[in-house]
Amino acid sequence: MPRPEDLPGSRAKTSPVLYRNGSVYTAADPFATAMLVDGDTVAWVGSEQAATSIADSSMDIIDLRGALVAPGFVDSHMHLTETGIALDSMALQKASSARELLDAVAAVPGDGPVLGHGWDESTWADASLPSAEELERASGGRPVYLSRVDVHSALVSASLADSAGLRSLDGFDGGPMVRRAAHAAARQATRRLPEDVLRGHQRRALTEAAANGYVAVVEIGAPHIGGPGDLRMAGSWNSDNGGVPAPEVLPYWGELATSEEHARSILDQLGVGVRGLAGDLNIDGSIGSRTAALRAGYSDAPEELGSLYLSVEEAAAHLAACSLVGIQGGFHVIGDAGLDAALKALELAAAEVGEQRVRAAGHRFEHVEMVDAAAIATLARYAVTVSAQPAFDAAWGGPGGLYEKRLGERGRAMNPFASLYSAGVPVCFGSDSPVTPLRPWSSVRACVEHRNEDERISARAAFLGHTRAGWRAAKYPNPMAGQLVPGAPASFAVWEVEELMVQVADGRVQSWSTDPRARTPLLPALDTGSDPVCLQTVKEGSELYSSPSLRS
């Protein structure tokens, strides 16, 4: 039986660890250069001079050589199995035509299903898609499933359409593109894999997260994504990780509850502790697949208004039920008409069970991309957390981007982070992986460099939204999670950085300042053209990831 310290990616902590000669992001001391970890807890943070006085032979001493130690990231919206499958299958983000998709399919070896992810026809010079028959020929008769970048639609081959029974389902029009119920069935058909294979995909996703500084991930499960078994597997990593520590998994389940009793029944039957009946309980779809529900038609398809998957009454019953149980409820909602339905549901739920019960439950809405001032006020009134994805703006905002193509001038108002913050709406951030990569500093940068200058937030606010706010949004029981102060969990990442700076509060003055009088902890300069490099990730004192260069 191997010892834990002999397992790949694991390093047993048998003695206190002193990190010194770097920078520590801590509210306890804005000039801290050292940190002592004892077991699973931060024991001390302070200066280099003080570190010299407390260092002794009983400690494992790590010379940071100028590196930054900061609270570990929390990804507030991701999908473990989907991420692992995407990492292990064809990456189609760079495909620029139907021909390139077909060539990629033809190049896949073996005789099993052909899986790929990430194509986006809105960036192609010719947006024509390959036919189902062309996909069939390119794969040599193997089933083909190629998810669009937003994973709300996919291209499928004729054989997959037949074997998965797609032809009779809503969202199948006889062509290669499937949406809505047909897409859910196609995805599930390609996910019927042996348990060890599925677990391998989840391990792949957790390994990728750890290597990028994440100490926790919010698993967004739902019946149409992977089913209860997939959720139970995700939740099991917290207790059964095979001796190799992994980021903590904070699971949510997106199943509609019709009453308090029904909500309790769902929770009892899941067989895994979930933090709420929220996440990808879809009120609508996505902008890219034109399934987000809009008040007015898409600019590039005026006759299309998207899809509403839940009625206001259904959504209200769900929120009321969750409020009575005292757990978080919520939805996937992107379009303005979708959000209208969600907010009307909030009002109806409050009328039924009382506004205070609704507020106390701490409901959360995922994405909330198209939101105006009136909607923001309602979200603030009911203390609804918005779980947003900054990388969406970086990928699809700006002149000529997807938002402009699909929504015209409406695209400029997407993802109004500054407006949400200024109104007091709780906000946390995630990647929606595999929709966007697990790259937390790129996500922080997307907040700072929002395409709409009026909606930019400071790097400090963005960093807290990616760390401490993630724990709070999940109603995590330890109030000290997400900070590095004595007594807090030793959950952090070490970063090799090109330059450290202090973000000033008023972006109208300047974006970055090196003025030490600010007495604000240092963060990496994000305008250098490259992200900080993760050297180590530690969760509650257990090493999840380590670069060989950390101790070289």
Side-chain angles (χ1 to χ4, degrees):
M1 175 71 67
R3 298 171 301 168
E5 59 265 36
D6 295 329
L7 292 166
S10 175
R11 182 180 175 85
K13 297 298 182 184
T14 57
S15 60
V17 183
L18 177 63
Y19 295 83
R20 60 181 304 180
N21 191 30
S23 181
V24 181
Y25 188 93
T26 172
D29 180 355
F31 306 118
T33 64
M35 180 175 76
L36 180 66
V37 173
D38 190 1
D40 60 1
T41 304
V42 175
W44 169 85
V45 292
S47 68
E48 196 60 29
Q49 181 178 2
T52 299
S53 68
I54 67 173
D56 62 41
S57 59
S58 70
M59 299 176 181
D60 179 7
I61 298 177
I62 295 179
D63 185 351
L64 294 169
R65 298 190 293 270
L68 170 69
V69 180
F73 285 101
V74 178
D75 192 307
S76 289
H77 185 124
M78 76 165 295
H79 307 275
L80 283 176
T81 300
E82 294 293 307
T83 296
I85 289 174
L87 290 168
D88 290 333
S89 59
M90 284 192 298
L92 301 173
Q93 288 82 354
K94 294 183 179 180
S96 60
S97 67
R99 182 71 264 163
E100 289 188 15
L101 282 186
L102 292 170
D103 289 344
V105 168
V108 175
D111 55 8
V114 178
L115 305 179
H117 166 73
W119 58 272
D120 182 358
E121 84 292 352
S122 72
T123 64
W124 301 354
D126 178 358
S128 301
L129 298 171
S131 69
E133 290 70 28
E134 287 176 320
L135 290 169
E136 192 79 15
R137 288 194 296 270
S139 70
R142 291 176 290 168
V144 178
Y145 171 88
L146 309 178
S147 54
R148 195 181 182 280
V149 62
D150 55 16
V151 203
H152 279 264
S153 58
L155 298 175
V156 300
S157 62
S159 59
L160 180 59
D162 290 333
S163 63
L166 308 185
R167 298 186 185 278
S168 61
L169 298 179
D170 174 52
F172 183 84
D173 62 4
M177 172 92 76
V178 290
R179 306 178 189 180
R180 300 186 293 275
H183 174 243
R187 175 162 58 179
Q188 290 181 342
T190 60
R191 288 356 182 211
R192 296 190 185 104
L193 301 169
E195 183 173 331
D196 62 323
V197 174
L198 290 172
R199 192 165 179 83
H201 287 312
Q202 291 195 358
R203 164 55 76 185
R204 177 78 168 86
L206 289 168
T207 299
E208 178 76 4
N212 284 281
Y214 290 97
V215 295
V217 297
V218 173
E219 167 67 7
I220 301 295
H224 65 277
I225 297 176
D230 190 70
L231 182 79
R232 284 191 284 271
M233 183 181 293
S236 73
W237 289 101
N238 295 333
S239 57
D240 180 19
N241 54 34
V244 182
E248 184 162 357
V249 178
L250 307 172
Y252 282 82
W253 181 242
E255 183 173 348
L256 187 69
T258 58
S259 66
E260 178 182 1
E261 294 72 24
H262 186 212
R264 294 187 187 279
S265 173
I266 293 171
L267 295 172
D268 290 343
Q269 292 173 18
L270 280 175
V272 60
V274 297
R275 312 204 75 80
L277 297 179
D280 276 355
L281 174 52
N282 287 20
I283 274 188
D284 68 351
S286 73
I287 300 295
S289 293
R290 297 195 193 92
T291 50
L294 304 185
R295 296 170 183 166
Y298 284 86
S299 296
D300 56 353
E303 73 285 357
E304 296 191 32
L305 293 171
S307 303
L308 271 177
Y309 299 127
L310 297 177
S311 70
V312 170
E313 291 73 22
E314 288 174 321
H318 179 76
L319 291 174
C322 291
S323 299
L324 289 170
V325 175
I327 61 168
Q328 291 175 295
F331 313 101
H332 161 118
V333 54
I334 287 181
D336 49 11
L339 186 58
D340 289 343
L343 297 179
K344 288 177 184 176
L346 267 176
E347 300 276 7
L348 289 178
E352 179 180 343
V353 303
E355 183 173 326
Q356 188 54 40
R357 264 210 175 103
V358 171
R359 288 176 55 85
H363 300 307
R364 56 185 287 161
F365 291 175
E366 308 297 318
H367 312 309
V368 192
E369 292 197 80
M370 297 181 72
V371 51
D372 57 23
I376 289 173
T378 303
L379 291 168
R381 176 184 173 186
Y382 290 104
V384 174
T385 292
V386 169
S387 171
Q389 293 69 45
F392 287 7
D393 179 75
W396 303 319
L402 173 71
Y403 292 157
E404 183 179 275
K405 291 178 180 179
R406 292 284 194 269
L407 302 171
E409 184 59 29
R410 290 171 293 177
R412 179 171 169 76
M414 299 284 283
N415 303 299
F417 302 143
S419 296
L420 290 164
Y421 268 79
S422 64
V425 176
V427 181
C428 61
F429 295 119
S431 65
D432 198 11
S433 179
V435 176
T436 67
L438 291 161
R439 299 292 182 269
W441 289 112
S442 292
S443 188
V444 171
R445 181 188 296 109
C447 294
V448 176
E449 300 178 355
H450 196 290
R451 303 302 178 99
N452 182 346
E453 293 185 9
D454 293 337
E455 296 300 343
R456 292 175 178 174
I457 60 175
S458 71
R460 181 173 180 271
F463 179 73
L464 292 175
H466 284 82
T467 53
R468 194 174 184 185
W471 296 108
R472 288 179 171 178
K475 302 186 77 172
Y476 198 72
N478 188 338
M480 301 184 76
Q483 52 186 324
L484 297 179
V485 296
S491 297
F492 58 90
V494 179
W495 301 93
E496 182 180 7
V497 296
E498 294 184 21
E499 187 176 5
L500 289 170
M501 287 185 164
V502 175
Q503 172 90 49
V504 298
D506 190 346
R508 293 171 298 178
V509 180
Q510 54 187 0
S511 294
W512 298 94
S513 170
T514 56
D515 187 347
R517 293 172 297 178
R519 295 193 63 81
T520 300
L522 299 171
L523 282 171
L526 298 176
D527 55 359
T528 61
S530 59
D531 285 354
V533 176
C534 188
L535 300 176
Q536 185 190 42
T537 306
V538 174
K539 175 184 166 289
E540 295 181 356
S542 294
E543 189 173 82
L544 310 184
Y545 167 80
S546 181
S547 166
S549 62
L550 178 69
R551 294 179 175 86
S552 61

